[in-house]
Amino acid sequence: MQIGSCWFDPSQSTLSNQDNDTSWRMPCAEFAVLKLLTNHRGQVLSHAELLAALPEEEANMARLVQAVDRIRFFLGTPSGKLLESIDNQGYILHHKLSSNLDLVGSGPTKRMTNHQYILLISQLLLLILLVYSVFEPFNYLPALREFIREQ
C-alpha cells in the first residue's frame, strides 16, 4: 500500500521509502499502529482504539506517541504530514497530501515554508539596519538646493 513516497507491506511488516531507497522492518507497536491507520485511512482513530491495537505490554500513551513519531520520521518530508494528530481525539492517515502544505511560492524549486520566509525577511531587515548603522546617511537636500540655485 502506498503512503506518500513509501510502500507499506503488511505481510512483511516493512515500510520502504522509495525516495532514499531504505526499508524498515517495523517493531510491533509501529506496525500495529500503521496497520490500523491504513485499514481506516481517512478516518480519525481515537487514542483508545490505537492503544487497543498495541501489544499489551506496550499499551500506554507514551509508547503510542513514540510509535507515531517514528512512523512520521521514516515517512519523511512531506509524506510525514499524511499522518496527522487531531487534538485530544487521536490520529488520521490521509489518502493524499492536502494542497495547503503551509508553503510559500509555487513549483518544485520555489517552495519554502512560512517559517523560512519569515526568517528570510527578518534577516533582510537586520541587514538593512546594519548597513544603515555602518554608513552615515548622505544628506542630498542641501547639495540639491545649492545646485538648483546655481542654475
Side-chain angles (χ1 to χ4, degrees):
M1 172 179 301
Q2 190 77 27
I3 304 172
S5 61
C6 294
W7 181 258
F8 177 55
D9 184 2
S11 65
Q12 300 291 319
S13 302
T14 58
L15 187 61
S16 301
N17 191 323
Q18 291 150 355
D19 282 346
N20 58 16
D21 246 3
T22 57
S23 187
W24 177 36
R25 182 139 177 99
M26 302 175 73
C28 290
E30 285 80 355
F31 175 72
V33 168
L34 191 57
K35 185 174 180 185
L36 188 60
L37 285 166
T38 56
N39 289 339
H40 299 283
R41 204 163 186 174
Q43 299 173 7
V44 176
L45 294 177
S46 70
H47 293 123
E49 291 172 310
L50 291 166
L51 285 170
L54 292 176
E56 192 174 317
E57 64 277 359
E58 297 184 34
N60 60 59
M61 196 61 188
R63 183 63 178 110
L64 174 62
V65 170
Q66 180 188 30
V68 169
D69 287 344
R70 290 182 71 188
I71 292 168
R72 277 189 188 133
F73 176 77
F74 190 83
L75 288 173
T77 305
S79 298
K81 292 185 181 215
L82 288 169
L83 182 51
E84 182 182 0
S85 173
I86 307 299
D87 293 336
N88 298 324
Q89 293 181 34
Y91 295 94
I92 183 171
L93 181 63
H94 295 285
H95 290 282
K96 61 181 182 175
L97 290 171
S98 63
S99 59
N100 60 350
L101 283 178
D102 206 27
L103 296 174
V104 177
S106 62
T109 60
K110 296 181 182 176
R111 300 188 125 185
M112 77 171 63
T113 64
N114 284 340
H115 179 71
Q116 291 169 327
Y117 183 74
I118 290 169
L119 185 62
L120 176 67
I121 296 300
S122 62
Q123 288 176 340
L124 287 173
L125 289 173
L126 287 173
L127 180 63
I128 290 169
L129 287 173
L130 175 70
V131 168
Y132 186 77
S133 68
V134 170
F135 299 104
E136 287 186 29
F138 185 79
N139 196 350
Y140 288 102
L141 290 179
L144 183 60
R145 285 185 193 139
E146 193 174 311
F147 176 75
I148 291 174
R149 284 184 196 151
E150 292 175 1
Q151 297 295 327

